[in-house]
Amino acid sequence: MKSHLTFELNGEATETFCEPRQSLLEVLRDELKLTGSKEGCNNGNCGACSVLLDGRVVNSCIVFGLEAQGRKVTTIEGLAEGGTLHPLQQKFLEHAALQCGICTPGFLVAAKALLDVHPHPTEAQARAWLAGNLCRCTGYDKIIRAVLDAAPSASGGK
Amino acid sequence: MSAKTSGAKIGTYQVIGTRPIRHDGVEKVTGRALYGADLQMAGLLHGRVLRSPHAHARILSIDASAALSMPGVKAVVTTADFPGSGNRVADLGEGTIKVRDLCANVLAGEKALYRGHAIAGVAATTPQVASEALKRIRVEYEVLPPVMDVLEAMKPGAPILQPDLRTEDLGEKGSTPTNVAKHLRFEKGDIAQGFREAERIFEEEFKTSMVHQGYIEPHNGTALWNPGGELTIWTSTQGAFTVRDQVATMLDVPVSRVKVVPMEIGGGFGGKIPVYLEPVAALLSRKTGRPVKLLMDRTEVFEGTGPTPGTVIRVKMGARKDGRITAAQAWLAYEAGAFAGSPVVCGMMCIFAPYDVAHQLIDGYDVLLNKPKTAPYRAPGATSAAFATETVLDQISEWAGIDPMKIRRLNGAKEGTRRVDGLVYPRIGYLETVEAACGHPHWTADIEKLPSPQAHTVSTKAHRANLLHGRGVASGFWFNIGLKSSCMASVNPDGTVCLVEGSTDIGGTRTSVAMQLAEVLGISAEDVKPQVVDTNTVGYTDVTGGSRVTFATGLAAIEAARQIERQMIDRAAALWEVKPGDVEVSRGCYRLRAGGKSLTFKELSGKLSDCGGPVVTQVTVDADKHGVGCGFATHVVDVEVDADTGKVTILRYTATQDVGKAIHPAYVEGQIQGGVAQGIGWALNEEYYYDLQGRMQNSSFLDYRMPTALDLPMIEAVLVEVPNPGHPFGVRGVGEVPIVPPPAAIANAISRAIGTRLRTLPMSPARVLEAILKRSR
Ligand code: FES
Ligand code: FES
């Protein structure tokens, strides 16, 4: 039996049907065909599925889809605004902060959550906030640099 | 991140050495790039794989009737669905292999040989129904005792995995059942003489654990076998053509019936060269007539795909007090997993490769045991080998009282040194990496003054007295490979060039290959439009692996550019009604030699329809004929050991590497940083942890602990450029060697910190603490 789910997805009122057992990640990927959020482990250990739920970063693989009822969800597909890349996306490109790119959507979403709370993070803060996101390709060096470099433009110079 | 140039003269470049944004970048930062799991298709069925709960068991029967009667379940396949393989053998590029073994790893034959071994595949209307169906398949097992340790597996009387296996012992077949598939030997000089020349002989044993590549994207495979007999496979793979060839072999169909469409790939490091799901998806599709998609979960990736072997390595080295190594002997036993084929021969090639030692003897053993069949992992076999050699070298350096850099200078291999397997080095840059490490501020920095803010690693003051510091050095080698690559290029009227290639892009190679084409044609990197295509659309191309793509596919792109340039000269000549010899070109500008007329590449591109039509070319290269450049690296690491807990923290890391010529330096640095991070994980945390029944106990990312951002400092990559004479721009492969030195460098650093040596990986807190406690007793 599928249940009715309504929530705000990347700024748009969205409705769909899902099974109570389906995770938010499954709802996004399988029901709504938004495949930007990735599955790396399906048990909350890699961060590839990171999305914002009411502004807080969560692993969407361990949140039920129905938990999003009436709430706001932001995914990687909602990061760029009006055809312009988010400063984090731009800096990831400039710093070569991705290799295979499978972890990238999760890192960008988690990094956005970081900058929303700490507009000018230290390296240690960035490492701590991103410790829930695994990257096996980059050794994190360029990811951390990209995040720190994106901070000024992401905060609009504040 | 500095770039040093030495050796042969390098030209000045306009594109090479710059850092353009990668062509597939926007797709990947916006979540639009399609990886294998992202594929959607009308009428798609979802598959799951049933796996053995036992490490070693005879499969007595499989009864799928209950599963098949569930609503939504469409088909079940087992190994019996493979066409009779008889005793067919195939050569898929790495020597001949029994087709039966290939099939039996994908769906178990008479026996399940490791926990997680695939037994049956199910296709159903939803993934949930497929998962439910797995529980209804009844498999009757006769559980057999497993053998989980490489030394145990070699002993007479050990449980035998494959009753018909006989040791191939230095070319001769043995006569009794065994788990030892192969014994190989490399020899150079006279080992006894070498040890006679030594003033002291060091002999040590090292153990390393099985570790996984740990790519974040699990395996996937989707297949549609249409009623006309045409099979299409969509998958995330390191080599579309190797998938095609493996699948065609197992299913006994001509390769022309199989088209493989490479999806984006979320990491591989060697682990996405073998096929696991693709043939199962194909069999399920044949039975159902519908497309079938299979995905693994993380536990399946750990238990059911190929990690890199655990090893036991004994190294014996003789040295003189002046620091010269007189003899080097090694004995290597590598876990092959359930089927023959560990990378022991690579370990043998690499173990003493950075050093010029006159007398060497190396024996290697490929050993079966009840673990997954191993697969390549970044410089396969070399990391464990270097862990042994570089530790013993450090002991020699301490005994002789000679600085670790100096002892490498004294013994380092150079152009003309003959490697134990016969190759005489062309121009190589090993000693240059030692000089770069030695000249780097890290080497002379005061280790007690933490170099960079490490707020997250600094403990409380009271604790500080128990924080011990040490600096370690180690070098590493990887031979790199060439193999075959193809590409096509066509000029667009707006002056851009479409570049179509067969090398799947795992970390920016669309761009590093496109840049080489751009350099030759005198256009910008952005004006090349690279695309990775399916196996029907481009010529045969070997895997993305062996650090070969930027080198080998780059060679193909360079040749394509040269051919385009020749055609463009002809077109300019036709346009100006002169002979081609009257036209000259430099940096993308075509001129009449006599003067008066010139056209840029872009302008000429716009006029092609007036002077002969489109310009298109295709190229294939056998890169081994050009000369593969070996890779060398020397790493320096500072560690902090918490003497209370045994925890090791990496404080500072500097990796110098001969990269030949860095085409896109940012991605070269990225390869080095990523390899180092994996090496750090291998050194400190990662291992397959089994219980006595052979069940893996840590098959999740929570328990199989890979480094996070919080565990690592910045990793400084120093690019040393000693051009490879086998490539027009001097490119050497760069991806693999960076994983080789870290465990040894860290072990040497820990030894400096705590005054005693660890010779087992991983150097987990428990092991380090044990070493500290033993020392103080
Ligand atoms: S897929 Fe959700 S944390 Fe890994
Ligand atoms: S870029 Fe591959 S996992 Fe991060």
Side-chain angles (χ1 to χ4, degrees):
Chain A
M1 253 301 269
K2 289 199 168 183
S3 306
H4 189 219
L5 169 65
T6 57
F7 65 120
E8 188 184 309
L9 176 57
N10 296 328
E12 264 178 40
T14 301
E15 61 180 324
T16 185
F17 290 91
C18 71
E19 287 180 31
R21 63 180 277 174
Q22 278 182 296
S23 68
L24 177 57
L25 180 64
E26 286 167 343
V27 172
L28 292 169
R29 288 180 57 87
D30 300 343
E31 306 301 324
L32 298 165
K33 314 294 181 208
L34 280 187
T35 55
S37 308
K38 305 301 180 191
E39 178 188 314
C41 68
N42 210 26
N43 54 12
N45 290 315
C46 77
C49 62
S50 301
V51 303
L52 302 183
L53 184 58
D54 286 340
R56 273 187 55 200
V57 62
V58 297
N59 290 326
S60 63
C61 69
I62 48 169
V63 172
F64 285 119
L66 289 176
E67 287 181 77
Q69 193 72 264
R71 298 167 77 180
K72 285 187 186 154
V73 174
T74 307
T75 69
I76 183 65
E77 288 90 347
L79 220 58
E81 270 177 53
T84 311
L85 293 179
H86 186 278
L88 279 164
Q89 291 171 313
Q90 185 61 34
K91 291 299 176 188
F92 265 58
L93 293 178
E94 289 171 14
H95 283 265
L98 56 145
Q99 284 177 32
C100 78
I102 197 81
C103 69
T104 309
F107 267 99
L108 287 167
V109 167
K112 180 175 184 326
L114 160 70
L115 297 187
D116 287 347
V117 176
H118 300 289
H120 303 286
T122 62
E123 182 189 332
Q125 276 174 324
R127 287 187 182 276
W129 272 73
L130 299 176
N133 293 75
L134 290 176
C135 173
R136 192 60 159 175
C137 297
T138 64
Y140 307 102
D141 184 301
K142 292 183 189 302
I143 293 178
I144 299 296
R145 287 179 202 275
V147 171
L148 297 178
D149 193 24
S153 27
S155 67
K158 269 174 274 165
Chain B
M1 271 145 267
S2 44
K4 289 206 178 67
T5 303
S6 45
K9 216 174 102 230
I10 297 179
T12 54
Y13 297 121
Q14 288 186 324
V15 178
I16 288 172
T18 65
R19 302 176 178 228
I21 285 177
R22 64 193 279 173
H23 299 82
D24 52 337
V26 171
E27 295 269 284
K28 284 181 176 159
V29 298
T30 53
R32 294 287 168 198
L34 291 177
Y35 295 75
D38 302 335
L39 196 70
Q40 318 268 355
M41 213 177 283
L44 188 64
L45 295 176
H46 300 268
R48 296 281 300 162
V49 172
L50 181 71
R51 293 177 184 278
S52 170
H54 308 294
H56 195 187
R58 201 175 309 285
I59 300 168
L60 302 176
S61 66
I62 303 175
D63 176 5
S65 52
L68 283 166
S69 66
M70 288 171 65
V73 174
K74 300 293 178 190
V76 174
V77 294
T78 67
T79 198
D81 290 282
F82 279 118
S85 55
N87 281 326
R88 278 191 296 138
V89 292
D91 190 347
L92 296 166
E94 290 168 8
T96 56
I97 176 160
K98 279 193 226 130
V99 175
R100 200 187 56 191
D101 284 358
L102 275 177
C103 296
N105 193 37
V106 167
L107 284 170
E110 285 154 25
K111 290 207 287 184
L113 294 169
Y114 52 95
R115 179 183 163 95
H117 198 162
I119 306 288
V122 181
T125 46
T126 71
Q128 290 79 12
V129 173
S131 298
E132 289 301 321
L134 293 187
K135 298 178 196 157
R136 309 263 184 106
I137 299 177
R138 270 183 216 103
V139 185
E140 210 185 325
Y141 294 102
E142 176 195 338
V143 179
L144 303 168
V147 57
M148 304 303 294
D149 177 272
V150 68
L151 296 180
E152 291 296 321
M154 294 175 82
K155 285 186 187 155
I160 294 290
L161 273 79
Q162 298 189 7
D164 56 352
L165 185 76
R166 301 289 178 272
T167 305
E168 210 184 299
D169 193 346
L170 306 179
E172 294 201 5
K173 268 259 186 274
S175 55
T176 46
T178 176
N179 293 317
V180 181
K182 239 183 202 172
H183 168 210
L184 297 151
R185 176 173 290 170
F186 290 149
E187 231 173 331
K188 172 184 169 185
D190 173 0
I191 195 73
Q193 174 63 25
F195 284 122
R196 276 197 296 276
E197 288 169 16
E199 287 170 54
R200 170 125 185 228
I201 293 169
F202 293 81
E203 192 170 3
E204 305 289 356
E205 183 176 278
F206 298 82
K207 287 191 173 143
T208 70
S209 292
M210 182 167 262
V211 296
H212 199 271
Q213 297 84 354
Y215 32 79
I216 306 300
E217 177 202 45
H219 293 255
N220 57 70
T222 303
L224 174 58
W225 201 331
N226 79 16
E230 307 287 335
L231 171 61
T232 306
I233 289 173
W234 296 261
T235 183
S236 300
T237 174
Q238 289 177 244
F241 285 89
T242 181
V243 172
R244 182 193 71 175
D245 294 357
Q246 291 177 77
V247 169
T249 301
M250 285 184 225
L251 300 176
D252 203 13
V253 296
V255 289
S256 57
R257 285 292 175 105
V258 184
K259 175 171 101 174
V260 176
V261 185
M263 305 297 289
E264 295 299 336
I265 170 170
F269 315 107
K272 286 183 187 155
I273 296 173
V275 298
Y276 301 99
L277 299 175
E278 295 88 341
V280 182
L283 290 173
L284 287 167
S285 178
R286 182 160 63 180
K287 273 201 171 169
T288 58
R290 288 169 65 173
V292 179
K293 176 169 163 182
L294 286 170
L295 304 176
M296 284 194 197
D297 65 23
R298 182 53 54 183
T299 296
E300 292 180 281
V301 173
F302 276 120
E303 294 188 343
T305 71
T308 204
T311 65
V312 176
I313 299 175
R314 298 176 190 138
V315 162
K316 184 174 169 188
M317 285 163 92
R320 291 197 317 239
K321 198 76 193 176
D322 64 3
R324 264 311 282 183
I325 300 166
T326 61
Q329 186 176 357
W331 182 98
L332 304 87
Y334 278 40
E335 301 175 342
F339 299 89
S342 76
V344 68
V345 63
C346 303
M348 294 166 68
M349 284 165 71
C350 294
I351 190 158
F352 301 125
Y355 305 105
D356 183 5
V357 182
H359 307 290
Q360 298 185 34
L361 177 64
I362 303 171
D363 284 285
Y365 297 84
D366 184 35
V367 184
L368 274 62
L369 74 187
N370 294 107
K371 296 184 181 180
K373 171 164 177 16
T374 54
Y377 176 22
R378 212 168 194 152
T383 302
S384 308
F387 174 55
T389 301
E390 297 291 311
T391 300
V392 175
L393 187 70
D394 207 50
Q395 288 176 251
I396 296 174
S397 141
E398 281 189 326
W399 164 74
I402 295 174
D403 171 87
M405 295 297 183
K406 193 163 167 217
I407 203 151
R408 287 176 170 78
R409 265 191 216 126
L410 270 173
N411 294 290
K414 37 192 160 316
E415 185 171 350
T417 300
R418 191 171 75 83
R419 207 167 62 203
V420 68
D421 56 310
L423 179 116
V424 176
Y425 286 127
R427 183 80 177 92
I428 53 170
Y430 173 49
L431 290 172
E432 284 80 352
T433 69
V434 174
E435 293 314 320
C438 200
H440 191 279
H442 183 170
W443 181 237
T444 42
D446 181 353
I447 194 170
E448 296 307 326
K449 295 193 183 120
L450 297 186
S452 58
Q454 291 287 336
H456 59 280
T457 64
V458 175
S459 310
T460 62
K461 217 174 183 179
H463 195 193
R464 254 192 108 66
N466 278 340
L467 298 179
L468 309 171
H469 295 147
R471 176 170 297 155
V473 183
S475 298
F477 165 81
W478 179 250
F479 43 87
N480 295 329
I481 61 175
L483 302 180
K484 295 169 186 65
S485 281
S486 306
C487 72
M488 296 186 309
S490 53
V491 180
N492 295 315
D494 62 359
T496 61
V497 177
C498 284
L499 174 64
V500 172
E501 59 187 303
S503 289
T504 51
D505 182 353
I506 209 161
T509 54
R510 282 181 180 88
T511 304
S512 66
V513 171
M515 287 170 76
Q516 297 178 62
L517 179 118
E519 184 68 50
V520 175
L521 288 178
I523 61 179
S524 72
E526 292 76 11
D527 278 343
V528 183
K529 308 289 167 195
Q531 200 189 340
V532 179
V533 296
D534 66 69
T535 52
N536 282 4
T537 313
V538 69
Y540 182 87
T541 299
D542 276 303
V543 295
T544 296
S547 302
R548 62 175 292 277
V549 174
T550 301
F551 167 70
T553 310
L555 284 172
I558 290 168
E559 181 51 29
R562 286 175 178 158
Q563 292 184 9
I564 286 179
E565 195 167 77
R566 284 197 288 274
Q567 293 187 49
M568 295 292 270
I569 287 174
D570 290 347
R571 301 310 174 81
L575 204 61
W576 294 329
E577 300 178 330
V578 297
K579 288 203 220 54
D582 296 332
V583 179
E584 62 179 10
V585 55
S586 107
R587 295 216 189 278
C589 191
Y590 295 75
R591 284 189 202 85
L592 202 56
R593 273 187 208 278
K597 282 185 179 159
S598 76
L599 286 169
T600 63
F601 184 87
K602 199 167 283 238
E603 289 164 344
L604 184 53
S605 302
K607 296 183 193 300
L608 290 178
S609 58
D610 305 335
C611 53
V615 166
V616 179
T617 189
Q618 53 187 327
V619 174
T620 187
V621 296
D622 182 350
D624 290 302
K625 298 218 168 81
H626 293 250
V628 181
C630 297
F632 289 90
T634 299
H635 293 189
V636 180
V637 61
D638 292 354
V639 303
E640 180 173 87
V641 182
D642 184 329
D644 289 336
T645 63
K647 183 176 190 306
V648 176
T649 302
I650 307 295
L651 299 179
R652 184 172 182 181
Y653 206 106
T654 304
T656 72
Q657 184 176 325
D658 173 18
V659 302
K661 175 69 194 163
I663 299 295
H664 192 307
Y667 285 100
V668 173
E669 291 157 8
Q671 286 295 320
I672 295 173
Q673 291 159 341
V676 167
Q678 287 182 317
I680 291 172
W682 194 338
L684 296 180
N685 300 315
E686 295 179 32
E687 67 180 313
Y688 270 49
Y689 195 87
Y690 284 101
D691 70 8
L692 292 175
Q693 282 76 43
R695 292 177 296 218
M696 188 181 180
Q697 297 296 291
N698 58 337
S699 57
S700 76
F701 275 150
L702 185 65
D703 299 318
Y704 184 95
R705 181 76 164 69
M706 309 200 305
T708 71
L710 204 48
D711 299 317
L712 299 176
M714 292 296 185
I715 295 161
E716 186 169 357
V718 179
L719 311 185
V720 179
E721 297 188 319
V722 178
N724 167 21
H727 185 282
F729 301 133
V731 169
R732 295 176 192 274
V734 299
E736 285 169 295
V737 75
I739 200 174
V740 180
I746 293 167
N748 292 340
I750 292 174
S751 138
R752 294 282 197 279
I754 67 173
T756 176
R757 286 194 184 270
L758 281 89
R759 297 189 181 86
T760 303
L761 296 185
M763 297 175 285
S764 56
R767 285 219 177 93
V768 174
L769 193 58
E770 194 188 355
I772 293 171
L773 294 175
K774 270 196 190 146
R775 175 204 61 179
S776 43
R777 243 184 260 138

